[in-house]
Amino acid sequence: MQWRRGKELRELFLSYFEKNGHRVFPSFSLVPDDPTLLFTIAGMVPFKPYFLGMRKPGFKRATTAQKCVRTNDIDNVGRTARHHTLFEMLGNFSFGDYFKSGAAAFAWEFLTEKVGLDPSRLYPTIYREDEEAFEIWNRQIGVSAERIYRLGEADNFWSVGPVGPCGPCSELIYDQGPLFSCGRPDCGVGCECDRFLEVWNLVFMQYNRLEDGSLEPLPKQNIDTGMGLERLASVVQQVSGDFQTDLFKPLVDRSCEVCGIEYGKGEAGDMAARVISDHFRATAFMIADGVLPSNEGRGYVLRRILRRAIRFGKLSGVEKPFLMDLYPTLVEVMGDPYRELIDQRSLIEQVVEMEESRFGRTLEQGLRLLETEIGTILSSKGDSLPGDVAFELYDTFGFPFELTEEVCQEQGVSVNRDGFTDQMEKQRERARAGARASSRQIGGSVFDKIRDESGPTKFAGYVSDSLKTRILAIVSGEKKISRAVSGDETLLILSETPFYGDGGGQVGDRGTITGDSFKAEVTDTVKHAGDLIVHKVRIIEGDVSGGDTVLAEVDHERRMGIKSHHSSTHLLHEALTRVLGDHVTQAGSLVTDEFLRFDFTHMKALTGKEIEDAERIVNRQILENTPLEIIQTDLVSARKIGAKALFDEKYGETVRVVKVPGFSAELCGGTHVDATGDIGPFKIVREEGIGSGVRRITAFAGLSSLEHFRKLSDTVAALEERLSVPGDKLEKKVCEMQDENRKLAGELEKLRLRLALSRIDELVAAKIPAGPVYVVVGQYEGISSDSVRSVGDRIRQKISGVVVILAAINKEQAMVIAMADKKAVGHGVDCGRLVRTIGGELGGGGGGRPDMAQAGVRDIEKIGAALSRAPEIIFAMTGETH
């Protein structure tokens, strides 16, 4: 067997299947066009509609080297030689073409003749009831019966999820030899060690699993295979695991260099290097495909693996941001064929460095909380940190359990591992429940059937706002109907239409559809089944039947407003790139006839000058009145001319490029003005953050912009009259009024504090004994939380061994503040736990130190009842009873 690089194996696989009639596709995005999946988890995911018969492919055979992300077992990444978050899956697919016999023959020939694996060391496994597969391996391929293993459903029946395409499978197991064995006498196929290694899984896609668990035959029998490139490389390169292949080792070596780790000298260091190299690789690919850190969904997964990589760097003694030091190595290893790593370098760099900086501060907060908890445990003569606290540190602050244990051990405190494990299992169960709830059957709809019968709708709206056409179908609910009458709200599908269907951020068109016997108002236009344009209509008069010849007319004025705002987004996108940098990428948009909203990647708020510069660039392009060019080409050619492509769009073989010569080019299927001058004046009215690393601009163009200016002018005129100053003095006048208001507010707050302090003796007199300490509670309205803390400080000075719990209520907002003196803390009082308990009862939350903490609360009406329970909570803390 010849030693080959991972890159060579990838190319060898794709070229082999291309020569055997398979169409080669580049890797699809990690963000799938599938609502049931967070990430592309297998090579078959982009082809799922074909497997289900929802769409008809224009090809029968396909092959890919697909980047995939799986995150169901993140905590094991780094602990083993083969767990990864991101990996490459080599796959070949047949859609109603060859089946089991062909798949087996291709796999056997590729592994034995092209790669050079010893056929005597290959063992096929089959589903226990699949006699057809047994006959193929035994009689056609020539594998002896004793080397074919029958396994159960858990091993040899594959499905994409709880519902969806599935079928029996055959795995090809390779015997790597005694050097890779666990040494047990019963070591053989099925052993967990690396001697008998699964190399390739051939899935014979025959069924669709329904919600009730039953299986129905798919319209056609299909083939889906998957072979991990990293695993194949480890076999060919004869190394002990994926991390030692040339696909990973340069990253591992660079991680060791950056973190001061000597690989092979200790499991802790080895694990850190594996985690950092794997997680950074996955991080870069996720960001390159448009995933940004957040607290939910894909962004949460990204943030979690990023923080896990950072933590392992911290554990290795790295104090400064370090992950981007690995980037040149990653590009060297994977930049070819994954060009997105190069194109999105600026964005990846900004996101990673921002998260490293943020997590550094979060880590410090977590350490302070842990030290506080340890102090409380030691002061109360305890010796164990509760499992739920360890889990909170893990879940909220990203602390690994091992780090919590290490810090605790230094103080002579153990950690309740069972309690932590129990909380982890509860979280996993919540995640599994959420996955089950969101998982649903993807099946063909009435629109899929119409599209299959009639093809995609021909869109004529680029050149015309109206045309004569024919009604292909009328749909009500999920059924085709033959006729609709006056007053009905229904859906019309036309053979050709000038109406644009909602997509790419552009709203759907409105207008009218009329025939000899009816008139219908088009209230919206949407797309179904990919490119079937569906008109939502209300029949105003008469009745409509399938096959009628009609006149379809778009609301021209509304269409012009949409065009102006859509062309403006292209100009704005390029302007922001020039002002802020190449990391700026569109992250979403909304284009209407009244305004545009443009979301883009950027790590901080724009300055006034940056907004002004971007706005000026856009208006300069409008004044130049440059005619737009529309180019139909392929994706590769579009990229060569510098056309921007959007993260969340799925592009076909032919793409449409909208170009402003000398300024910008962007892939887009929407409607646009003929020349930039048709846009009219452009004005940015708002810039805001909508998530970590994502900003949003709202702007007006054309008549909407003029209306905005008119309203501003009217407002200025009204203020001039009300304040009796000319427009150029308005700002100065408002500043003077604000200064006066602040001065009066400060004086009012002082008076309120003086009044609050006058009640201190009354509160102290009502103190409640709670074992070895006293509890003082009180409520204040219309007073700031700072003033309430001043009251608490005065009470602590008056009484020894006291816990003060005060509520500050301001309109619909309230804050509960707890304060304790040293004597009370010494008896076990923890204000942080106290406010978490009280805040939780009042629909809020918070925390803090044992001697001072606060919580924001929502349920103001129940504050009195919650505060009355404070002595009982403090009894429990001090170990006293009533």
Side-chain angles (χ1 to χ4, degrees):
M1 178 171 58
Q2 177 185 346
W3 191 96
R4 298 177 191 269
R5 296 174 59 204
K7 179 181 178 182
E8 186 181 355
L9 287 170
R10 184 194 299 120
E11 293 169 351
L12 185 69
F13 179 89
L14 295 175
S15 64
Y16 170 79
F17 280 100
E18 185 176 30
K19 289 174 183 175
N20 282 284
H22 292 67
R23 180 172 165 184
V24 179
F25 284 86
S27 179
F28 294 85
S29 171
L30 286 172
V31 179
D33 189 15
D34 185 334
T36 69
L37 297 170
L38 279 181
F39 294 102
T40 300
I41 60 171
M44 65 79 61
V45 168
F47 302 111
K48 193 174 172 181
Y50 305 139
F51 285 124
L52 283 171
M54 292 170 56
R55 309 264 179 87
K56 291 180 181 178
F59 46 89
K60 290 186 175 181
R61 302 179 178 190
T63 185
T64 59
Q66 175 65 46
K67 55 190 177 185
C68 302
V69 164
R70 292 184 185 175
T71 59
N72 57 323
D73 209 7
I74 290 176
D75 292 334
N76 267 332
V77 175
R79 300 180 189 278
T80 72
R82 303 195 184 278
H83 270 90
H84 305 297
T85 44
L86 179 129
F87 63 97
E88 290 184 80
M89 183 176 283
L90 306 174
N92 58 289
F93 312 96
S94 167
F95 309 103
D97 189 16
Y98 63 84
F99 197 46
K100 295 180 184 179
S101 175
F106 282 139
W108 193 265
E109 181 181 58
F110 178 75
L111 288 180
T112 60
E113 297 183 22
K114 301 301 178 182
V115 177
L117 299 188
D118 183 351
S120 68
R121 295 164 73 173
L122 276 171
Y123 297 80
T125 70
I126 63 172
Y127 182 52
R128 61 192 170 209
E129 300 169 9
D130 195 349
E131 296 302 329
E132 182 185 2
F134 178 84
E135 291 297 318
I136 290 169
W137 289 116
N138 182 233
R139 295 182 180 276
Q140 176 186 321
I141 305 299
V143 181
S144 59
E146 64 272 11
R147 287 177 47 222
I148 302 172
Y149 285 75
R150 295 177 184 268
L151 300 175
E153 185 167 340
D155 296 295
N156 277 73
F157 196 94
W158 193 91
S159 61
V160 73
V163 296
C166 59
C169 62
S170 274
E171 295 177 345
L172 284 169
I173 310 296
Y174 187 68
D175 178 6
Q176 297 200 92
L179 288 176
F180 293 84
S181 174
C182 58
R184 288 176 7 202
D186 61 344
C187 182
V189 173
C191 184
E192 294 295 324
C193 73
D194 276 355
R195 174 170 179 173
F196 294 91
L197 193 67
E198 176 201 337
V199 176
W200 204 341
N201 190 11
L202 317 178
V203 179
F204 310 131
M205 204 76 74
Q206 296 175 250
Y207 306 109
N208 181 34
R209 194 190 299 274
L210 304 179
E211 291 282 0
D212 62 6
S214 62
L215 301 176
E216 66 174 11
L218 289 170
K220 292 183 179 179
Q221 294 178 326
N222 306 307
I223 288 295
D224 159 33
T225 84
M227 173 165 56
L229 175 61
E230 294 85 357
R231 181 166 294 196
L232 178 63
S234 76
V235 171
V236 172
Q237 296 172 15
Q238 298 180 32
V239 291
S240 59
D242 299 354
F243 288 99
Q244 295 304 304
T245 69
D246 73 314
L247 293 167
F248 254 117
K249 193 171 185 302
L251 273 173
V252 172
D253 290 345
R254 182 61 179 141
S255 299
C256 289
E257 184 181 343
V258 169
C259 298
I261 298 168
E262 192 173 349
Y263 201 82
K265 295 298 183 180
E267 181 53 33
D270 292 358
M271 180 176 173
R274 291 191 293 264
V275 168
I276 292 167
S277 58
D278 173 276
H279 286 6
F280 177 68
R281 188 171 85 146
T283 290
F285 272 95
M286 285 185 194
I287 297 170
D289 276 356
V291 181
L292 296 174
S294 70
N295 291 325
E296 59 185 15
R298 298 182 185 97
Y300 176 77
V301 174
L302 171 60
R303 176 165 281 165
R304 184 181 172 195
I305 65 169
L306 240 175
R307 289 185 169 187
R308 190 166 186 253
I310 297 167
R311 288 197 313 261
F312 275 92
K314 298 279 186 185
L315 287 171
S316 302
V318 182
E319 295 300 328
K320 63 179 182 64
F322 69 96
L323 286 175
M324 285 306 295
D325 292 343
L326 279 64
Y327 195 77
T329 305
L330 177 62
V331 170
E332 184 180 338
V333 174
M334 304 191 77
D336 179 15
Y338 296 109
R339 176 79 192 181
E340 60 266 34
L341 291 176
I342 300 169
D343 294 341
Q344 299 299 330
R345 172 168 186 157
S346 178
L347 176 62
I348 294 167
E349 184 172 25
Q350 289 209 27
V351 172
V352 169
E353 290 182 350
M354 178 185 70
E355 282 295 304
E356 282 194 280
S357 174
R358 284 184 174 178
F359 185 53
R361 295 192 294 271
T362 302
L363 201 61
E364 292 175 8
Q365 293 173 346
L367 278 172
R368 284 199 297 269
L369 175 61
L370 179 55
E371 289 165 359
T372 297
E373 294 288 349
I374 292 173
T376 301
I377 291 166
L378 294 175
S379 66
S380 61
K381 305 296 190 276
D383 61 0
S384 178
L385 184 77
D388 60 343
V389 176
F391 177 75
E392 182 185 353
L393 285 163
Y394 172 85
D395 195 47
T396 304
F397 296 98
F399 265 52
F401 183 80
E402 293 78 10
L403 178 57
T404 300
E405 274 192 321
E406 182 181 336
V407 174
C408 287
Q409 285 169 2
E410 291 173 358
Q411 303 291 328
V413 173
S414 64
V415 184
N416 184 342
R417 180 179 286 270
D418 290 342
F420 174 81
T421 303
D422 181 58
Q423 291 293 326
M424 282 289 289
E425 184 53 39
K426 288 179 180 176
Q427 184 194 57
R428 290 192 184 105
E429 180 53 40
R430 287 193 294 270
R432 286 192 289 267
R436 287 194 294 269
S438 65
S439 183
R440 60 176 176 85
Q441 178 184 0
I442 296 182
S445 68
V446 63
F447 303 109
D448 294 302
K449 293 172 185 174
I450 294 171
R451 196 230 182 257
D452 287 343
E453 291 168 1
S454 307
T457 306
K458 184 178 179 182
F459 177 62
Y462 294 134
V463 294
S464 175
D465 287 354
S466 66
L467 60 81
K468 285 205 168 182
T469 181
R470 185 172 62 87
I471 295 177
L472 281 179
I474 307 171
V475 175
S476 179
E478 280 292 311
K479 294 180 180 179
K480 282 179 67 175
I481 58 176
S482 60
R483 182 168 169 269
V485 300
S486 179
D488 285 354
E489 292 187 358
T490 188
L491 306 174
L492 299 183
I493 294 99
L494 308 178
S495 59
E496 185 178 5
T497 183
F499 286 82
Y500 182 85
D502 188 343
Q506 179 176 325
V507 297
D509 281 326
R510 297 175 189 165
T512 58
I513 296 174
T514 56
D516 292 339
S517 61
F518 80 97
K519 182 175 183 180
E521 177 190 6
V522 180
T523 58
D524 197 7
T525 312
V526 297
K527 288 180 182 176
H528 283 282
D531 45 14
L532 190 74
I533 298 176
V534 179
H535 309 77
K536 295 183 178 181
V537 305
R538 183 171 60 88
I539 311 298
I540 298 173
E541 58 184 56
D543 58 349
V544 57
S545 301
D548 283 359
T549 298
V550 298
L551 177 65
E553 295 181 285
V554 173
D555 181 331
H556 177 74
E557 186 174 343
R558 184 172 181 272
R559 164 73 71 81
M560 286 306 299
I562 292 171
K563 283 183 173 183
S564 292
H565 285 104
H566 201 158
S567 297
S568 295
T569 64
H570 286 222
L571 299 181
L572 176 61
H573 191 176
E574 178 63 27
L576 289 170
T577 301
R578 296 187 180 194
V579 172
L580 304 176
D582 291 338
H583 64 279
V584 170
T585 305
Q586 182 172 333
S589 69
L590 176 62
V591 177
T592 77
D593 59 317
E594 297 179 340
F595 67 93
L596 71 85
R597 227 169 43 203
F598 186 77
D599 302 340
F600 58 99
T601 53
H602 190 58
M603 303 308 124
K604 57 185 177 181
L606 273 64
T607 65
K609 185 178 186 307
E610 287 170 337
I611 293 173
E612 183 181 329
D613 288 346
E615 191 175 84
R616 182 180 292 110
I617 290 172
V618 172
N619 280 303
R620 184 181 297 122
Q621 288 300 315
I622 291 170
L623 289 172
E624 289 183 7
N625 196 26
T626 307
L628 273 65
E629 290 182 10
I630 306 298
I631 304 168
Q632 299 284 347
T633 185
D634 59 85
L635 189 58
V636 174
S637 300
R639 289 187 183 280
K640 285 181 180 178
I641 64 174
K644 292 183 173 70
L646 309 186
F647 285 135
D648 58 352
E649 288 292 322
K650 309 294 185 264
Y651 298 105
E653 293 179 47
T654 302
V655 295
R656 181 172 183 262
V657 179
V658 176
K659 185 176 182 182
V660 180
F663 185 71
S664 71
E666 193 165 309
L667 272 62
C668 181
T671 57
H672 288 271
V673 297
D674 295 326
T676 57
D678 297 339
I679 293 172
F682 173 83
K683 179 62 181 175
I684 294 173
V685 295
R686 184 180 301 114
E687 191 277 337
E688 60 191 324
I690 60 169
S692 180
V694 180
R695 310 295 301 179
R696 170 173 290 172
I697 279 177
T698 302
F700 295 131
L703 291 176
S704 294
S705 181
L706 290 174
E707 179 64 15
H708 173 71
F709 290 132
R710 186 193 64 76
K711 288 179 179 178
L712 288 178
S713 178
D714 289 349
T715 300
V716 169
L719 288 172
E720 285 178 329
E721 182 177 352
R722 181 176 289 272
L723 299 178
S724 301
V725 293
D728 59 350
K729 300 289 178 59
L730 277 175
E731 183 179 4
K732 180 181 178 183
K733 180 66 175 179
V734 170
C735 288
E736 289 173 352
M737 293 170 65
Q738 287 178 323
D739 289 341
E740 181 67 17
N741 279 342
R742 277 193 290 268
K743 180 180 176 182
L744 292 173
E747 292 175 358
L748 180 59
E749 181 64 24
K750 288 177 183 177
L751 291 172
R752 286 173 172 168
L753 175 58
R754 192 177 305 163
L755 181 62
L757 292 173
S758 70
R759 287 184 55 203
I760 285 180
D761 290 339
E762 177 187 336
L763 292 177
V764 170
K767 64 183 182 294
I768 304 167
V773 301
Y774 289 103
V775 180
V776 175
V777 298
Q779 296 183 47
Y780 289 94
E781 293 193 19
I783 184 172
S784 71
S785 54
D786 285 341
S787 293
V788 170
R789 276 189 285 271
S790 296
V791 173
D793 278 332
R794 294 283 184 91
I795 294 174
R796 284 196 298 185
Q797 293 169 10
K798 282 180 169 286
I799 311 174
S800 177
V802 67
V803 184
V804 185
I805 306 105
L806 303 173
I809 303 170
N810 287 285
K811 296 181 180 179
E812 296 180 358
Q813 295 181 335
M815 183 82 71
V816 172
I817 298 168
M819 307 170 74
D821 64 4
K822 289 183 179 180
K823 184 177 179 181
V825 172
H827 283 294
V829 171
D830 185 337
C831 291
R833 290 187 182 179
L834 179 61
V835 298
R836 282 198 292 272
T837 302
I838 294 174
E841 293 179 4
L842 297 172
R849 305 188 307 269
D851 64 329
M852 182 181 293
Q854 64 184 39
V857 299
R858 296 189 183 92
D859 201 341
I860 296 175
E861 293 181 0
K862 296 181 180 179
I863 284 180
L867 294 185
S868 69
R869 287 197 54 240
E872 180 183 340
I873 299 169
I874 293 167
F875 266 121
M877 285 184 179
T878 60
E880 298 286 339
T881 58
H882 292 283

